[in-house]
Amino acid sequence: MSNQYEDIKQRLRGSICPVITPFKANGDIDFEKQAELIEYQLENGTHGISVTGTSGEPSSLTTEERVQVMENAMKAIDGRVPFAPGTGSVNHDETMYLTKKAEEMGADAAMVIVPYYNKPNQEALYQHFKTVADSVDLPIIIYNIPGRTAQNMTVQTMARLVKDCPNIVGAKESNKDFEHVNRVMLHCGRDFLLYSGIELLCYPMLAIGGAGSISATANVEPAKVAEMHDAWEAGDIKRAQDLHFELMNLNDVLFKDTNPAPVKAALGMMGMIEPVLRMPMGLPSEELQEEIKETLVEYGKLAKQNS
């Protein structure tokens, strides 16, 4: 791996929170609230920030809005932790444009999702990612989430990209097939930055040498998600295991509906945002919202009398 990317490979580790995109009641982006959410993350030990990934509802944003969200986040972070915005899209040219914008504004890396809906074959995926990677001198993190894209990047395709593109430094694997994840690490190299996007695999990912997690749960419980990584790094395996199981009920309830709907409902209950999603997304059922509320009380995020 080229030495020019070694610094970011050392820094871009731990809990990278995929911060949601807050909207006002009328559906406009609430940039002031976004800055407050980022501050909340940094105050609670989060190691890095991402925006406009799946949790940020990128398909509900215009290209211009995505750039504005990235720029506002960059300003709020102010260099305190690494910044790796999501720049991928179903559209190749838009992905190229947003990734170049991320480079121009000084982001530390760009997270590029496997294109969703159109299901490119493996050769097409290779060509798409290689073209994007070759167009910038910016570290690229592949975002593989077959449950939402309907296509899984194979280990062979990922390893080929890593071999041919020195700036492809890692992958967020939102892949429940942990055998696949192990083989990614084997074939892409032990220094490859592998992040879990599956909440119940965040701890197991550390055990095989992963770089950390990009977990939507960190929006709600940033301190414990970050502490799990810190405990592992400090060699306190028992504490890391305990946090893994402590977080399980919250992880479960936040994924009983499509992300980020439960997360936004939770943050709304906590008084941190207006719980607004842009259509076609919508809030969870009243029944699930009540379950989320009870879980937040359990985790000390809401006072019992407010439940």
Side-chain angles (χ1 to χ4, degrees), residues 173-222:
E173 276 285 359
S174 293
N175 202 320
K176 292 187 176 182
D177 181 353
F178 202 59
E179 289 189 17
H180 166 96
V181 172
N182 277 267
R183 295 184 192 286
V184 166
M185 182 67 85
L186 175 66
H187 292 284
C188 292
R190 298 282 291 279
D191 65 341
F192 191 61
L193 300 179
L194 199 55
Y195 307 93
S196 180
I198 298 293
E199 276 60 25
L200 295 192
L201 296 181
C202 291
Y203 172 75
M205 187 72 84
L206 296 174
I208 65 167
S213 62
I214 305 177
S215 163
T217 300
N219 280 280
V220 177
E221 185 64 284

Side-chain angles (χ1 to χ4, degrees), residues 60 278-282:
S60 298
R278 284 183 176 174
M279 291 192 287
M281 296 290 286

Side-chain angles (χ1 to χ4, degrees), residues 14-17 37-49 206 213 215-232 239-240 242-244 246-247 250-251 267 270 272 299-301:
S15 173
I16 316 299
C17 181
L37 292 174
I38 289 171
E39 201 60 37
Y40 172 67
Q41 290 297 319
L42 301 189
E43 288 171 356
N44 281 277
T46 291
H47 305 101
I49 298 292
L206 296 174
S213 62
S215 163
T217 300
N219 280 280
V220 177
E221 185 64 284
K224 286 187 176 181
V225 176
E227 188 190 349
M228 183 168 67
H229 184 271
D230 291 339
W232 174 266
R239 179 60 181 156
D242 288 347
L243 286 162
H244 167 72
E246 282 179 30
L247 286 163
L250 182 61
N251 286 329
L267 291 174
M270 293 162 62
M272 298 185 67
Y299 280 79
K301 295 296 179 180

Side-chain angles (χ1 to χ4, degrees), residues 238-290:
K238 175 66 162 55
R239 179 60 181 156
Q241 289 173 337
D242 288 347
L243 286 162
H244 167 72
F245 288 105
E246 282 179 30
L247 286 163
M248 193 172 291
N249 287 344
L250 182 61
N251 286 329
D252 285 347
V253 78
L254 291 179
F255 284 86
K256 287 192 173 183
D257 196 355
T258 305
N259 181 48
V263 168
K264 281 196 156 183
L267 291 174
M269 294 169 195
M270 293 162 62
M272 298 185 67
I273 63 166
E274 290 283 344
V276 176
L277 295 96
R278 284 183 176 174
M279 291 192 287
M281 296 290 286
L283 287 170
S285 68
E286 289 185 11
E287 181 182 17
L288 179 52
Q289 288 193 52
E290 187 59 35

